[in-house]
Amino acid sequence: MIKVTDLEKSFGGNTVLKGISTEIKEGEVVAIIGPSGSGKSTFLRCMNLLETPTKGEIWYRQTEVTDHKVDIMSIRQNIGMVFQHFHLFPHKTVLENLTYAPMTVKGMTTEEAEKIGLNLLSKVGLAEKAAEYPNRLSGGQKQRVAIARALAMSPEVMLFDEPTSALDPEMVKEVLDVMKSLVQTGMTMAIVTHEMGFAREVADRVLFLDDGKLVEDSPPAQFFTSPRSSRAKEFLEKML
Amino acid sequence: MDLDFTQIAPSIPYILKGLGITIQIVLAAALLGFTLGIILTLFKISKFRLLRWFADGYTSVFRGTPMVLQLLIIYYGLPQIIGFEITAFPAAVIAFGMNSAAYISEIIRAGILAVDKGQSEASLALGIPYRPMMKDIILPQAMKNILPALMNEFITLTKESAVVTVIGAMDVMRRAYIVGGQTYRYFEPLLIAGIIYYILVMVLTIFGKAIERRMRKSD
């Protein structure tokens, strides 16, 4: 579904991604892990072109995302993204956060968008917060709203950029639970995370990035019990 | 001490009449300044270098020269170029509006830069195009942050509008001056003009605070 070939990205003189190739198949859940600074967030952000790759190709289905002529906006509608710091629209209510993009981008009517929005809010357990402003919510609630906001566009893929890293520990579970229920719907997902237990439980594949390179690409059972590379071994020893 | 308001008391309604002119000029100039200011801001943050240069040059010129000079150029100088006279009112609105736009564009630009980058990233990730993103997501948040600075600019404009006296617009200032000339008493009418401006500014300040409170409802 998303195919990445020889992806490179530098910021100024600093090369963050040094030639990454991989493919995410439809319905697959891929956990992207690695030490901080390994380039995993940059890798994720390249997939919907929030970062412009320096070299290499990214294909989304039959379309080359990295082609300059491509209409990136229409591709982004199919790729939902959830950020570490939520980035909810603070001047809009929770429900408006969910309805704004479907109405603006897809031309949905208010009733349609609100119906979808309320339905999604009840799925993430926040139906009663529809009329609140984001600043009145806890971190965990904000992130659940952010997930619902991305889902309101009915994306085919969801990208998660460290969705629980900015949360207080007691709120991590509620967000992971929402993500697990999303996995059960068969959503294609790429998740940058430090939650090893979660990655192990839900991922079909683990991508281990280190120093801008894809060091390991294996099923979680194999990765967490007998990683092939010494870098992954070291990393896991520190994490677990 | 020689203060005597009885002589000019009959002229107070005459001076007050100028309030209408002052308010009309200020409102029209503020509207023009705000509109031009937003356009200049969009130029300043645009990816096209030519637009950035234009907007920066514009700001530099209008901030770097006296406003009364800009007013005189438009009122006395411009007819020479365009071939027809401009009356005092439009000349004042154009001069103040264009001058104010330079300051307002700087205020809005700072406000936009202060909006968290995550807001535009979240919008992009949802596939929201540039125009609605600016209009519905970025600018409303920027406006909230810059409201005090914007109100300040509006107040400055109100006070500076007294400069239209030099081109003969019949505003509060001009009328106070005329009354002074007629009665040979300048202190009293000018004091009254001062009080009128002060009350006007106070009303604006209270009004601005009220808007600010309203906009903070999402906090």
Side-chain angles (χ1 to χ4, degrees):
Chain A
M1 193 168 201
I2 298 180
K3 193 165 188 281
V4 180
T5 321
D6 289 327
L7 180 66
E8 285 184 26
K9 172 69 185 174
S10 358
F11 295 98
N14 180 24
T15 308
V16 180
L17 299 178
K18 301 170 179 170
I20 291 183
S21 303
T22 190
E23 193 178 349
I24 299 172
K25 295 196 181 66
E26 192 148 8
E28 213 174 18
V29 177
V30 176
I32 303 162
I33 64 180
S36 55
S38 58
K40 52 195 190 306
S41 279
T42 307
F43 173 57
L44 193 78
R45 288 161 58 85
C46 279
M47 288 194 220
N48 64 352
L49 238 58
L50 281 187
E51 303 291 351
T52 315
T54 314
K55 257 179 77 182
E57 279 179 15
I58 299 170
W59 286 75
Y60 176 75
R61 293 192 186 275
Q62 260 44 263
T63 321
E64 191 192 338
V65 180
T66 35
D67 181 355
H68 291 297
K69 277 167 297 203
V70 85
D71 176 17
I72 183 65
M73 282 317 201
S74 64
I75 295 176
R76 280 180 181 143
Q77 292 174 31
N78 298 314
I79 306 179
M81 187 161 197
V82 173
F83 300 86
Q84 183 179 351
H85 295 286
F86 333 124
H87 300 327
L88 293 175
F89 304 135
H91 60 302
K92 293 189 178 293
T93 64
V94 165
L95 185 59
E96 284 164 0
N97 264 275
L98 268 66
T99 55
Y100 177 71
M103 285 166 64
T104 311
V105 180
K106 292 187 163 174
M108 235 179 239
T109 64
T110 313
E111 293 101 54
E112 256 181 301
E114 284 186 348
K115 200 175 144 218
I116 293 172
L118 286 169
N119 185 24
L120 282 167
L121 279 181
S122 63
K123 274 190 182 148
V124 300
L126 289 171
E128 79 283 8
K129 300 287 184 190
E132 288 280 15
Y133 284 94
N135 289 349
R136 304 279 304 263
L137 305 181
S138 71
Q141 291 172 333
K142 282 183 196 168
Q143 196 59 299
R144 280 144 68 197
V145 171
I147 293 172
R149 176 177 68 175
L151 291 173
M153 287 295 285
S154 334
E156 299 178 306
V157 189
M158 286 283 283
L159 308 177
F160 292 86
D161 189 2
E162 303 199 25
T164 58
S165 297
L167 299 178
D168 291 335
E170 73 269 23
M171 291 170 183
V172 170
K173 188 177 174 292
E174 62 186 63
V175 172
L176 293 183
D177 285 346
V178 166
M179 290 170 68
K180 277 180 203 165
S181 66
L182 196 54
V183 171
Q184 266 142 35
T185 66
M187 175 66 77
T188 312
M189 292 159 77
I191 309 164
V192 172
T193 185
H194 291 291
E195 296 290 330
M196 294 303 142
F198 175 72
R200 188 173 191 159
E201 190 185 331
V202 304
D204 298 310
R205 265 163 67 211
V206 173
L207 304 184
F208 178 71
L209 265 65
D210 186 50
D211 192 27
K213 287 188 280 263
L214 180 56
V215 179
E216 203 151 333
D217 176 354
S218 28
Q222 186 192 332
F223 178 80
F224 286 105
T225 49
S226 50
R228 277 171 308 199
S229 65
S230 57
R231 295 303 313 245
K233 241 174 249 163
E234 273 170 47
F235 175 76
L236 286 174
E237 271 161 23
K238 275 184 218 149
M239 291 300 290
L240 301 172
Chain B
M1 191 149 114
D2 177 26
L3 264 187
D4 180 9
F5 284 91
T6 53
Q7 274 194 55
I8 64 135
S11 306
I12 290 178
Y14 175 76
I15 297 177
L16 270 173
K17 249 195 199 160
L19 200 55
I21 303 282
T22 296
I23 290 174
Q24 278 175 40
I25 290 176
V26 169
L27 282 183
L31 203 66
L32 178 67
F34 191 67
T35 314
L36 280 180
I38 287 184
I39 295 170
L40 283 174
T41 306
L42 294 176
F43 283 10
K44 281 177 185 175
I45 58 172
S46 140
K47 51 184 181 226
F48 300 109
R49 199 176 300 155
L50 209 65
L51 294 180
R52 290 204 306 267
W53 277 349
F54 172 79
D56 287 342
Y58 179 101
T59 304
S60 174
V61 168
F62 276 88
R63 288 204 301 191
T65 55
M67 185 151 96
V68 64
L69 174 78
Q70 294 159 19
L71 181 65
L72 291 181
I73 286 181
I74 287 172
Y75 185 66
Y76 290 115
L78 207 57
Q80 204 179 312
I81 311 285
I82 57 179
F84 57 88
E85 297 281 311
I86 308 175
T87 55
F89 182 79
V93 169
I94 293 169
F96 295 155
M98 288 178 78
N99 180 280
S100 200
Y103 290 92
I104 289 176
S105 70
E106 278 302 288
I107 295 172
I108 302 177
R109 190 181 66 96
I112 288 176
L113 293 183
V115 174
D116 182 13
K117 204 164 158 272
Q119 292 292 309
S120 55
E121 286 190 350
S123 309
L124 290 177
L126 287 163
I128 298 167
Y130 182 81
R131 198 184 275 251
M133 171 181 89
M134 268 299 164
K135 182 168 74 73
D136 300 330
I137 306 296
I138 307 296
L139 281 176
Q141 293 183 58
M143 287 306 158
K144 197 169 106 179
N145 296 335
I146 64 176
L147 204 70
L150 220 48
M151 212 53 217
N152 204 26
E153 171 58 24
F154 194 51
I155 287 169
T156 304
L157 182 64
T158 307
K159 290 182 296 177
E160 296 261 297
S161 76
V163 167
V164 294
T165 286
V166 303
I167 59 168
M170 296 297 276
D171 70 327
V172 173
M173 183 72 190
R174 179 88 189 159
R175 284 165 188 259
Y177 189 68
I178 289 172
V179 170
Q182 283 165 348
T183 57
Y184 298 105
R185 302 191 72 88
Y186 283 97
F187 195 87
E188 295 87 346
L190 290 178
L191 190 67
I192 285 169
I195 292 169
I196 293 173
Y197 280 112
Y198 186 74
I199 292 173
L200 193 56
V201 167
M202 285 305 111
V203 169
L204 284 177
T205 308
I206 293 166
F207 182 63
K209 290 249 158 69
I211 301 181
E212 218 175 300
R213 261 199 308 277
R214 256 186 75 96
M215 291 185 95
R216 300 231 172 269
K217 68 177 194 280
S218 59
D219 287 350

